[in-house]
Amino acid sequence: MKITLAVVGKISGGYLKQGIDDYTNRLSHYLPFNIQYIADAKCTKNLSEAQQKKAEGKNILAAIDKSDYVVLLDEHGKEYTSMDFAKYIDRKMATVPRRLVFVVGGPYGFDSDVYDRANEKISLSKMTFSHEMIRLIFTEQLYRAMTIINGEPYHHE
Amino acid sequence: MKITLAVVGKISGGYLKQGIDDYTNRLSHYLPFNIQYIADAKCTKNLSEAQQKKAEGKNILAAIDKSDYVVLLDEHGKEYTSMDFAKYIDRKMATVPRRLVFVVGGPYGFDSDVYDRANEKISLSKMTFSHEMIRLIFTEQLYRAMTIINGEPYHHE
């Protein structure tokens, strides 16, 4: 199984990129992992929030393959502890045939078409993080999950 | 009111420090904020987890003043949305006379003496983050709270 983190918006830059790159490299020791950048809506000044979500939703759906198992990172999603997230990833490795895709939406969340396509929603926190920060937090949690699955000394309970 | 983030362990370095410094600087426009470093337990190879927590607990309590309002960042704490955390900070600004101290513990959590002294516990997520990452996430959420309190366009609901 491959894992992709699909993110709407600009390619990461600056200090957060260093952290995202660090965990992405560490993850490559465990499984194929990549970050897929999805174009955000253009000329957003002329768009309502709903129009922006709709435009981004089209781009998200275009980036997803029929065989992908799609999980939205969404504030209304299920919250996991790091231990339970590791168990979740471990189960997915046994059941998802090709690609497990986690999707981070744009600033206003997901369009209904994206919710309809998604297989699941999970939430990293009740709090709202910046989109760059979510990328860092997610890659760190996925790395933590892989160390837990492999019984390696990174995570303390 | 002043706010302090008291953290057990090493001074932040590398890419996360850039983010922590950035939000710390931005926070200084709203209220006095600082990060206070608390020494971690030394020679931990010879200490049990309980002994390490006890030693760190002593250092935490030594860094806290009688008049401080102490909030532990703890996995068993109450979770807030970013909006509710902003309301929480706003209320504290009206009721805490001197210093509001948020404390991040060492790798094994807090000693019972620290729980006894604390006024409250809050949790940023059900997930476990690295101690450096918690510092970044917390300073970003506190900055986000200040922009929400001041009606500034940083946070989207």
Side-chain angles (χ1 to χ4, degrees):
Chain A
M1 183 185 73
K2 277 170 129 172
I3 298 183
T4 292
L5 178 65
V7 299
V8 171
K10 290 185 191 65
I11 292 176
S12 301
Y15 62 88
L16 291 177
K17 182 174 191 308
Q18 287 184 52
I20 295 163
D21 287 350
D22 177 30
Y23 288 111
T24 299
N25 287 336
R26 294 197 207 184
L27 277 164
S28 68
H29 298 289
Y30 299 99
L31 84 179
F33 172 76
N34 74 309
I35 298 183
Q36 183 174 355
Y37 292 96
I38 295 172
D40 48 9
K42 302 298 170 206
C43 308
T44 52
K45 274 188 188 168
N46 302 320
L47 296 179
S48 67
E49 284 184 22
Q51 287 172 320
Q52 186 173 339
K53 282 200 288 191
K54 179 67 75 184
E56 286 170 357
K58 272 192 182 174
N59 296 345
I60 291 169
L61 294 175
I64 287 172
D65 193 78
K66 264 189 185 171
S67 66
D68 289 341
Y69 190 91
V70 177
V71 182
L72 306 182
L73 297 188
D74 185 87
E75 59 180 336
H76 304 295
K78 185 176 172 191
E79 279 191 83
Y80 290 89
T81 64
S82 296
M83 284 300 286
D84 288 340
F85 185 62
K87 287 180 199 156
Y88 172 91
I89 294 292
D90 203 28
R91 280 198 304 275
K92 288 287 174 273
M93 289 172 81
T95 56
V96 171
R98 296 187 57 192
R99 194 169 73 138
L100 175 60
V101 184
F102 293 91
V103 188
V104 184
Y108 304 110
F110 296 105
D111 182 59
S112 56
D113 290 350
V114 178
Y115 282 118
D116 289 346
R117 169 60 182 88
N119 298 88
E120 276 181 63
K121 294 177 291 196
I122 74 168
S123 169
L124 300 179
S125 167
K126 285 203 200 316
M127 289 179 159
T128 306
F129 300 124
S130 74
H131 290 84
E132 285 273 53
M133 200 93 95
I134 291 173
R135 298 171 190 181
L136 178 61
I137 291 169
F138 180 83
T139 51
E140 197 266 348
Q141 284 301 309
L142 188 57
Y143 171 70
R144 186 179 292 267
M146 297 315 298
T147 65
I148 291 169
I149 290 168
N150 289 278
E152 290 163 6
Y154 175 75
H155 178 77
H156 295 288
E157 256 316 282
Chain B
M1 183 186 73
K2 276 171 129 174
I3 298 183
T4 291
L5 178 64
V7 299
V8 172
K10 288 188 191 64
I11 292 176
S12 301
Y15 63 86
L16 291 176
K17 182 174 192 307
Q18 288 184 50
I20 295 162
D21 286 351
D22 177 29
Y23 288 111
T24 299
N25 288 336
R26 294 197 207 183
L27 277 164
S28 68
H29 298 289
Y30 298 99
L31 83 178
F33 172 76
N34 74 309
I35 297 183
Q36 182 174 355
Y37 292 97
I38 294 172
D40 48 10
K42 302 300 170 205
C43 309
T44 52
K45 273 188 189 167
N46 302 320
L47 295 180
S48 67
E49 284 184 21
Q51 288 172 320
Q52 187 172 338
K53 282 201 289 191
K54 179 68 72 184
E56 287 170 356
K58 271 192 183 175
N59 295 346
I60 292 170
L61 293 175
I64 288 172
D65 193 78
K66 264 190 186 171
S67 66
D68 290 341
Y69 191 92
V70 177
V71 182
L72 307 182
L73 298 188
D74 184 89
E75 57 180 337
H76 304 297
K78 186 175 171 191
E79 280 191 83
Y80 289 89
T81 64
S82 296
M83 284 299 285
D84 287 339
F85 185 62
K87 286 180 200 157
Y88 172 91
I89 294 291
D90 203 27
R91 279 197 305 275
K92 288 288 174 272
M93 289 172 81
T95 55
V96 171
R98 296 187 57 191
R99 193 168 75 138
L100 175 59
V101 183
F102 293 91
V103 187
V104 184
Y108 304 110
F110 296 105
D111 183 59
S112 57
D113 289 350
V114 178
Y115 281 118
D116 289 346
R117 168 62 181 88
N119 298 88
E120 277 182 63
K121 292 176 292 194
I122 73 169
S123 168
L124 300 179
S125 167
K126 284 203 200 315
M127 289 179 159
T128 306
F129 300 124
S130 74
H131 289 86
E132 285 273 54
M133 199 92 95
I134 291 173
R135 299 172 190 181
L136 177 62
I137 291 170
F138 180 85
T139 52
E140 197 265 349
Q141 284 302 310
L142 188 58
Y143 171 70
R144 187 178 291 267
M146 296 315 298
T147 66
I148 291 169
I149 290 169
N150 289 278
E152 290 163 5
Y154 174 78
H155 179 79
H156 295 290
E157 257 315 283

